[in-house]
Amino acid sequence: MTDLKEGVCLSAFWYSHEQCCWTSNETTFDDRDKCPKWQKWSELLVNQSEGASAYILNYFLYIMWALSFAFLAVSLVRVFAPYACGSGIPEIKTILSGFIIRGYLGKWTLLIKTVTLVLVVSSGLSLGKEGPLVHVACCCGNFFSSLFSKYSKNEGKRREVLSAAAAAGVSVAFGAPIGGVLFSLEEVSYYFPLKTLWRSFFAALVAAFTLRSINPFGNSRLVLFYVEYHTPWYMAELFPFILLGVFGGLWGTLFIRCNIAWCRRRKTTKLGKYPVLEVITVTAITAIIAYPNPYTRRSTSELISELFNDCGALESSQLCDYINDPNMTRPVDDIPDRPAGFGVYTAMWQLALALIFKIIITIFTFGMKIPSGLFIPSMAVGAMAGRMVGIGVEQLAYHHHDWIIFRNWCRPGADCVTPGLYAMVGAAACLGGVTRMTVSLVVIMFELTGGLEYIVPLMAAAVTSKWVADAFGKEGIYEAHIHLNGYPFLDAKDEFTHRTLATDVMRPRRGEPPLSVLTQGSMTVEDVETLIKETDYNGFPVVVSKDSERLIGFAQRRELILAIKNARQRQDGVVSNSIMYFTEDPPELPANSPHPLKLRRILNLSPFTVTDHTPMETVVDIFRKLGLRQCLVTRSGRLLGIITKKDVLRHMAQMANQDPESIMFN
């Protein structure tokens, strides 16, 4: 569908340009991109392939197709599944930390995000499919969990399934099963025990096997950007690799700050009320600017693939337009460094313009009300910068091979520098600068390209980009969007070193009304319904009586509402004056009393509790590792108060000299 913006395959309209020309016997080596079966829209409609009128018609139809795809995608998201927008990874991280976003992993979200992801990638917008595929995989994991009571009734086991699903999503997106497991461990999951590691590994294996069986790339390979370089890297090249890491860190910082500022403006102004208009405007600007430049007109995946490629004898790209020595008799795979030709210099300034355009337009694209990933656009920015640096180093080594830095490893007539390797390193650096990934990033990159020999340059660039980006702010793009959206998320990477106690954080505080509680056998149905109506708490502690305040358990608000509703419909004699009890045996009631309602089955008899003198460092660690939403504070079995995750976050903000009331939650 991406190529549909430029033309159509006459033999099968669902074929891309490349697939259409594979089956043609009339394609020549010199005109390998042209074949009779593939026709541009100007050739099909007015029978012209060259000239101003043909160019204008193709230009116009390119914009119209892009607008059509984008409008259909944003309309489907807006009408049927509002949660299908965005990357999905910030929300998945929040869900795995213990927060519930109802409907976010639902069936409609799965269906609409799958369909609209195809449309938005085909529209030519500066976004990727990898992040949304993690969301899609988690939707599948949630759906299958709901089919088995072992997982549907156990929140901890459901989270383990979602961790494995996230690994499978990256495995499918990149063809990188081990990288997917490490991505789930490093970036997404909150709690990752050994059994979850094994299950994630198995899920990623099955996903990769299925992907290989389908063979979506048509090259019998699992990886998306397979490369095969014929020269090793040299120690002197570590300096430009580190420079690319610095660029990646700076790009990551710039992108995060600008994108968050734009998204905050979208939330606080009238701009957020017109998501369809915003998507149409950004798509129109993208298509109008992208079409004249061949490096922005094509899909981002094709662009990255071309930037990663080594220049062999069979390459026809402008990036490989070098001046050849007519007396050269070397093998095809061992072409020496050559002076750049006119095509290379043309490609350099076109890449420079494409780089500036990608940097700017990605800031405004990520976060719109459509499925939008960030992996591929970030890699494209880094790959363009890396390829230009690689060509520069290559030409410097060719023309000044007698310099001391080149003398020991770059002899005249040798193949010294591989510009495609620089593109690969630059892509890793920019992706690391935006997401702050390190280990999983390096593994994904070498699985993605097959470049196992180049792990050290990738490691150097990834670590450098993280150091540089962390110097300006510790938050990656996903953590920044979590805070922007107001999700109660405790980052496991942050340290809490203050010496406060649970009693300093718990509610109610001095001067506040007492805690809303339920008694085990003295409240009526009407009393409980009134309490639920007047408060918005997610649950209530259950005590023996309001005088003793001895803790019995904890009842969830949602389960209370459902239990009362079902009892009124199905049990005879349950009325507003019926006594509700949480004990095994009903309380002694007068003979003419209405039928009591037993709700012990919905009572959590072992809620997590801490004493009032428990250090907050321990409480924070408990919230992180167990994914708790609340924890009760007691002294000798007597209920004193409650600590929620939001209370913990406000307290941490206060300890960091921030205004605790500035922490906004959805």
Side-chain angles (χ1 to χ4, degrees), residues 40 85 203 398 401 553 570 606 619:
K40 295 182 178 179
C85 66
Y398 176 81
H401 54 78
R570 299 175 184 176
S606 56
V619 175

Side-chain angles (χ1 to χ4, degrees), residues 601-623:
R601 59 184 175 80
I602 70 166
L603 182 65
N604 179 7
L605 294 170
S606 56
F608 203 93
T609 60
V610 295
T611 67
D612 54 335
H613 290 290
T614 304
M616 274 307 295
E617 184 179 3
T618 304
V619 175
V620 171
D621 205 33
I622 289 169
F623 269 90

Side-chain angles (χ1 to χ4, degrees), residues 395-410:
Q395 294 306 300
L396 199 64
Y398 176 81
H399 293 289
H400 303 283
H401 54 78
D402 55 340
W403 286 8
I404 189 169
I405 57 172
F406 300 121
R407 191 183 304 162
N408 294 330
W409 58 277
C410 191

